[in-house]
Amino acid sequence: MQKTKKIGLIPRMILGILVGILVGLYLPMWFTRITVTFSSIFGAFLNFIIPLMILAFVTKGIADLGEGAGKLLGVTVLLAYMSTLIGGSLSYFMSNAIFPGFISAEQVSAIQSSNEISIDPYFEVPITPFFDVTSAIIFAFMLGISISWLRKTKQGEILYKAVGEFNIIITNVLAKAIVPLLPFFILGNFAKMAKSGSVFAVLSIFWKIFICVIALHLIYVSVLFIISGSYTGKNPFTMLKNQVKGYLTAVGTQSSAATIPVNLQCAENNGVSREIGDFVIPLGATVHMPGSMITITACTFTILTMYDMPHSYGLILRLIAILGIAMVAAPGAPGGAVMSALPFLPVVGISPESTMASLLITLYLTQDSFGTAANISGDTALAVAVDKIYNKNILGKKDWQPNPVKTK
């Protein structure tokens, strides 16, 4: 009996995007609201699972590492933060060189009226997480490092087995519930954007800015893979090809955390060891935000330029440095990064309640998918490099060789 060939995740995601746009453009509002209702419920479920996902993967990842776990944590967080700062700085210099040439005052009033249609779900199911993302990551650090210290004792081994079983539970939830439903979640997101017209209205006015930001995302991610590949002796172009699935997943979900299960597979295909992948990929989803920082910096520069406000590098660097820390709590939901940024906008003279802030949010959300995709792609590049740093420099394995990159 011939087996039916299943459609892969990437084609299903692309199909979800296309169908979502068609639903939003051509089908009645009631149908669009049905898809939005599903996305709302699924999004609430995701927010519930995300802290548990981080707790399961990061705790076991640190516990598996044992020796050098604390050092690995410090190295990974430092590299992630430096990458985020560099991404934001590059975005400022690009914006300063290009944007003033095509920003006009007339565009402000046009964008302010681009999101007039409000599309709400028919109903919502409140699913409150046990704890937030920040609490989960801190608890995972504490628990994982403690278990790694206690591994040689009977109590430590019991805890380690319990964490391993919890990891299996979360992995099964991801494989059997989250990943199969992702295309429908994507469909609802794109139906809502297409029906409201906000995405297309903003793109019609800011398409040049949009193209510049996306180009910088791709350039920066490519550079990260080139550096990581050169450092580990792997082909960066093959690694980039293996990352396409994770990139497209992030474009559709607009959530770094929701892309973790797919990105773990990308890291494995790029030769990252399981213990490093389980540690760096979930951690990177919370602390490594170069794509979001590139987008926020460019959007902030655009607004400040439009309103003829000060926008020096020193001023914006202060915001970048603060947001590199503040956005740790951002990966749970689409648009989380810009929402985390709102309390700190007064640093550059923008009030969170002002029209400028509303305009910034609109512009950012239009490009949020691609910033998220750059974030998670950078996580994989970071994991490839950290794998070698941990084994060569922290554990001192002079004869260690990296796992090969899969070419299929």
Side-chain angles (χ1 to χ4, degrees):
M1 183 176 179
Q2 188 176 4
K3 294 183 178 180
T4 304
K5 188 176 181 180
K6 295 183 178 179
I7 302 176
L9 180 59
I10 292 179
R12 284 187 284 128
M13 287 190 300
I14 295 176
L15 184 62
I17 293 172
L18 295 176
V19 173
I21 293 174
L22 292 175
V23 166
L25 290 177
Y26 299 110
L27 292 187
M29 177 65 77
W30 64 266
F31 193 91
T32 301
R33 290 185 64 188
I34 290 176
T35 65
V36 171
T37 300
F38 173 83
S39 291
S40 173
I41 297 172
F42 186 80
F45 181 59
L46 270 180
N47 286 334
F48 176 81
I49 289 294
I50 283 165
L52 300 178
M53 186 190 313
I54 292 172
L55 183 62
F57 288 147
V58 175
T59 301
K60 188 174 187 302
I62 296 176
D64 282 340
L65 295 173
E67 182 184 354
K71 293 180 180 179
L72 178 62
L73 173 61
V75 168
T76 304
V77 171
L78 178 61
L79 289 176
Y81 185 68
M82 292 303 297
S83 174
T84 301
L85 294 184
I86 292 171
S89 297
L90 290 176
S91 180
Y92 172 83
F93 293 124
M94 175 201 69
S95 302
N96 190 52
I98 299 174
F99 290 2
F102 51 75
I103 294 178
S104 64
E106 290 78 12
Q107 294 173 330
V108 177
S109 58
I111 294 180
Q112 289 173 349
S113 60
S114 64
N115 196 18
E116 297 176 352
I117 302 176
S118 177
I119 304 174
D120 299 319
Y122 282 112
F123 61 90
E124 297 180 351
V125 179
I127 307 175
T128 305
F130 290 134
F131 32 73
D132 60 27
V133 170
T134 306
S135 299
I137 199 72
I138 293 174
F139 183 49
F141 290 162
M142 295 170 54
L143 189 61
I145 292 175
S146 298
I147 292 175
S148 70
W149 289 341
L150 297 171
R151 281 287 299 276
K152 295 181 180 179
T153 67
K154 182 178 180 180
Q155 294 84 354
E157 194 61 30
I158 292 174
L159 285 172
Y160 177 73
K161 289 181 179 179
V163 168
E165 292 175 356
F166 180 59
N167 184 280
I168 293 173
I169 292 172
I170 297 299
T171 299
N172 285 332
V173 170
L174 295 176
K176 298 179 180 180
I178 302 295
V179 174
L181 293 176
L182 278 178
F184 299 97
F185 179 53
I186 293 170
L187 188 155
N189 286 338
F190 274 82
K192 182 177 181 179
M193 288 190 291
K195 179 65 72 174
S196 68
S198 59
V199 172
F200 302 104
V202 174
L203 283 179
S204 67
I205 300 167
F206 283 97
W207 63 272
K208 293 180 181 179
I209 295 174
F210 186 91
I211 290 174
C212 291
V213 170
I214 303 307
L216 184 57
H217 285 161
L218 296 175
I219 292 171
Y220 187 73
V221 168
S222 299
V223 170
L224 286 180
F225 272 98
I226 290 172
I227 294 173
S228 182
S230 300
Y231 175 64
T232 57
K234 298 180 179 182
N235 188 324
F237 301 104
T238 304
M239 290 196 294
L240 282 167
K241 181 180 177 182
N242 289 340
Q243 187 59 39
V244 171
K245 181 186 293 185
Y247 186 92
L248 291 179
T249 302
V251 168
T253 63
Q254 295 180 285
S255 171
S256 295
T259 313
I260 287 175
V262 178
N263 213 31
L264 285 169
Q265 183 181 359
C266 294
E268 181 181 351
N269 291 339
N270 282 326
V272 177
S273 60
R274 179 65 184 268
E275 61 270 21
I276 294 296
D278 283 353
F279 172 73
V280 175
I281 296 301
L283 177 60
T286 65
V287 300
H288 190 215
M289 301 285 180
S292 296
M293 189 65 75
I294 287 171
T295 305
I296 286 181
T297 302
C299 294
T300 302
F301 182 92
T302 299
I303 302 304
L304 293 176
T305 303
M306 279 183 165
Y307 286 88
D308 195 26
M309 297 174 63
H311 49 267
S312 66
Y313 175 62
L315 180 65
I316 299 226
L317 181 60
R318 289 173 56 195
L319 180 65
I320 293 171
I322 295 172
L323 293 186
I325 300 172
M327 287 194 301
V328 166
V338 73
M339 297 306 170
S340 300
L342 287 179
F344 305 98
L345 290 180
V347 171
V348 294
I350 299 176
S351 171
E353 295 82 21
S354 67
T355 302
M356 288 186 290
S358 176
L359 193 57
L360 174 64
I361 293 171
T362 302
L363 181 57
Y364 176 88
L365 290 178
T366 305
Q367 305 171 66
D368 183 38
S369 296
F370 299 93
T372 301
N375 290 340
I376 62 94
S377 298
D379 295 345
T380 304
L382 190 67
V384 172
V386 169
D387 199 8
K388 180 176 179 179
I389 292 173
Y390 174 70
N391 285 281
K392 282 277 191 179
N393 301 104
I394 297 179
L395 296 184
K397 297 180 179 178
K398 302 301 180 183
D399 58 345
W400 177 84
Q401 295 295 324
N403 296 325
V405 177
K406 295 181 181 180
T407 56
K408 292 185 180 179

